[in-house]
Amino acid sequence: MLHILKYLLLSISTFGCLGVRGSGTHHSHLTICNAIAQAVSTKSSVFYPGNQYTSDNYHWAVSSTINSSCTVEPGTAEDIGKILRILGVTRTPFGVRGAGHTSNVGFSATTGVQIAMTRLDEVIYDAKTSIAKIGAGNVWDDVYEGLQPFNVSVVGGRVSGIGAAGFTLGGGYSYKTNEYGLTIDTVTGFEVVLPIGEVVFADATQYSDLFFGLKGGFNNFGVMTAIYMKTHAETFVWGGSITTTGVDEAVMAAVLNFYSTVTDPKAAILPTFNYDSSIGIVSRSLGLFYHAPEPPQGMFDDFLALPALVQNVSTRSLLSLITAFPEPTGLRGAFHTLSLHTLSSAFLDAVVNETQFWSTQLSPSVPGLFISYDVEPFLSSYLSHGSPSAWPPSREIALLPINLYFAWALPENDTVIHEVMTQSVDYLTEVAIAEGQDIADAPLYPNYAISGVPLEDMYGQNVERLKHIKATYDPANVMGLTGGWKF
Ligand SMILES: Cc1cc2nc3c(=O)[nH]c(=O)nc-3n(C[C@H](O)[C@H](O)[C@H](O)COP(=O)(O)OP(=O)(O)OC[C@H]3O[C@@H](n4cnc5c(N)ncnc54)[C@H](O)[C@@H]3O)c2cc1C
Ligand SMILES: *[C@@H]1O[C@H](CO)[C@@H](O)[C@H](O)[C@H]1NC(C)=O
Ligand SMILES: *[C@@H]1O[C@H](CO)[C@@H](O)[C@H](O)[C@H]1NC(C)=O
Ligand SMILES: *[C@@H]1O[C@H](CO)[C@@H](O)[C@H](O)[C@H]1NC(C)=O
Ligand SMILES: *[C@@H]1O[C@H](CO)[C@@H](O)[C@H](O)[C@H]1NC(C)=O
Ligand SMILES: *[C@@H]1O[C@H](CO)[C@@H](O)[C@H](O)[C@H]1NC(C)=O
């Protein structure tokens, strides 16, 4: 305790003199890095430019990477408490990074102190309660692999490399969402370090308002160190990916037929309508999933009959399944979204037209262009599995998220892509409204929404309550020093 106080006092006096409160310079950040290095236990380390520093700042979208002043890999929740107190007292900007998959710039990156959660990589299964403790530094691949020996799994990511932390703190759409709900609906509790440095456990009975807030409310209340999740029995699943081109009518017919006839909650699809300038074609990738080693006869036949450029579908582990979905990397990137009530043929036509229109419009002058529109059909019952959460603000209507993903090579094109994505979402929203869908105020999924979307458009009527919870747990606005959706 004395040890921490000493460094806090040192920091306060140093920064009081330099007069850098609220406007840290690179030099002052380095002094903070030193103070952190001295305050933390031997389980944690601070890094400067070099290997570890580079991987701590790494982001899936190149445009989301920022070179921080230093990185810190905390090894314990207590050390995170010490770090937050130093950052808070000195008003130093910081980032909290799970696996760096956000495409919004500054949401998990900083010019100040980057906190990379990688060392908190526990995956512990308790056979008595069937609950898994998942450290906040895990990617889903490692979670699935860690649980596999016990023949159990969880409701998590659909492609390789995604952080369990950001995915869960935003809600979490999984291949198992029809069966068990969003990932947050399977969370029984979170371990969290509050900005004052205290480590608490939040669940439905203790710190229940904090628990509510964390289920969709990201980094507003503190740093989450572990997720406690329900598991279910699982050995092998069935599925994978199919990539096609030139057969849009057949793809759309298969998607609509699946959406309107399949009510088995163990089944799911993830259709994406793409344009890839590296191969110069409009392609369609379909993720297929059934939560058993074999699907019922006939259920996926329309998809399996499509002439495929690549077909990678089999009975396999969940880990193998998520690595079978190809995703381009190494480019700049952005996500955006709208929420539907229902999927129609006219809407899918409009999506296909968007991929064609924007690829024709942009590809001549946007090097590296990749365009992808995910259509995510879920059963209308999928929000019935959980309890109230920061997101979605209402569980009355099951929303179907549409995810736009654009990638490109040059920073000079950042602004135009941001504008095009916003315009495309507005256009598709009008298309859905014109066909009678009441989606003008349908909440957007915060893990897909592009920077600049107002809080109300995602959290709706929950915004006031979330602001109140934030003020309760973070009265000094320490978490305001890090980026993201801010209450
Ligand atoms: C290829 C790809 C596929 C995707 N597929 C899906 C999908 O199938 N379903 C879905 O729902 N989403 C999906 N997403 C979106 C994904 O859920 C978000 O990008 C998510 O935030 C990633 O989590 P992360 O830990 O990797 O991100 P990060 O960028 O590390 O973090 C995202 C946000 O969470 C905060 N955060 C992270 N860790 C902590 C912590 N321990 N405590 C407090 N705050 C923290 C960060 O500060 C940041 O604001 C996908 C994204 C990509 C790029
Ligand atoms: C970060 O620093 C490295 C090494 O100096 C440099 O190559 C890289 O371009 C920098 N990245 C950003 C995003 O500034
Ligand atoms: C998991 O399942 C496999 C294959 O069915 C079996 O051989 C193994 O004993 C099981 N392990 C446990 C811990 O139940
Ligand atoms: C299928 O996916 C697996 C990963 O699960 C990968 O190793 C393999 O190369 C893929 N096969 C094809 C043909 O793409
Ligand atoms: C195709 O998309 C563009 C851009 O959103 C739109 O202006 C145009 O009207 C659409 N065309 C058709 C046939 O839907
Ligand atoms: C993308 O950036 C390049 C380089 O500055 C520029 O020539 C091109 O016109 C930009 N494309 C668009 C669509 O703005």
Side-chain angles (χ1 to χ4, degrees), residues 151-236:
N151 293 335
V152 299
S153 196
V154 289
V155 177
R158 292 178 286 195
V159 302
S160 179
I162 319 290
F167 183 101
T168 304
L169 292 171
Y173 280 107
S174 170
Y175 277 132
K176 299 169 183 170
T177 287
N178 285 329
E179 197 175 2
Y180 303 106
L182 297 168
T183 292
I184 44 173
D185 298 337
T186 69
V187 173
T188 58
F190 289 108
E191 183 185 270
V192 194
V193 185
L194 298 177
I196 49 163
E198 193 187 343
V199 183
V200 303
F201 180 75
D203 66 9
T205 55
Q206 322 155 59
Y207 294 96
S208 58
D209 51 349
L210 182 58
F211 185 52
F212 167 90
L214 288 164
K215 291 189 293 179
F218 293 98
N219 63 18
N220 280 278
F221 320 102
V223 175
M224 187 274 289
T225 44
I227 310 167
Y228 290 78
M229 284 183 81
K230 290 182 194 162
T231 64
H232 47 257
E234 183 175 301
T235 49
F236 292 103

Side-chain angles (χ1 to χ4, degrees), residues 361-362 365-367 410 412-413 416:
Q361 200 81 8
L362 296 173
S365 67
V366 177
L410 301 176
E412 291 87 338
N413 294 141
V416 73

Side-chain angles (χ1 to χ4, degrees), residues 251-264:
V251 171
M252 288 190 285
V255 169
L256 282 172
N257 186 42
F258 181 93
Y259 173 64
S260 52
T261 61
V262 176
T263 55
D264 182 344

Side-chain angles (χ1 to χ4, degrees), residues 106-162:
F107 274 39
S108 57
T110 179
T111 55
V113 174
Q114 175 75 337
I115 303 176
M117 302 294 285
T118 41
R119 287 192 187 179
L120 301 186
D121 63 354
E122 280 178 322
V123 177
I124 297 173
Y125 175 60
D126 179 353
K128 261 198 238 115
T129 56
S130 298
I131 287 172
K133 177 185 182 188
I134 295 164
N138 279 292
V139 294
W140 288 115
D141 309 54
D142 296 333
V143 174
Y144 297 160
E145 191 173 18
L147 294 175
Q148 218 163 272
F150 306 103
N151 293 335
V152 299
S153 196
V154 289
V155 177
R158 292 178 286 195
V159 302
S160 179
I162 319 290

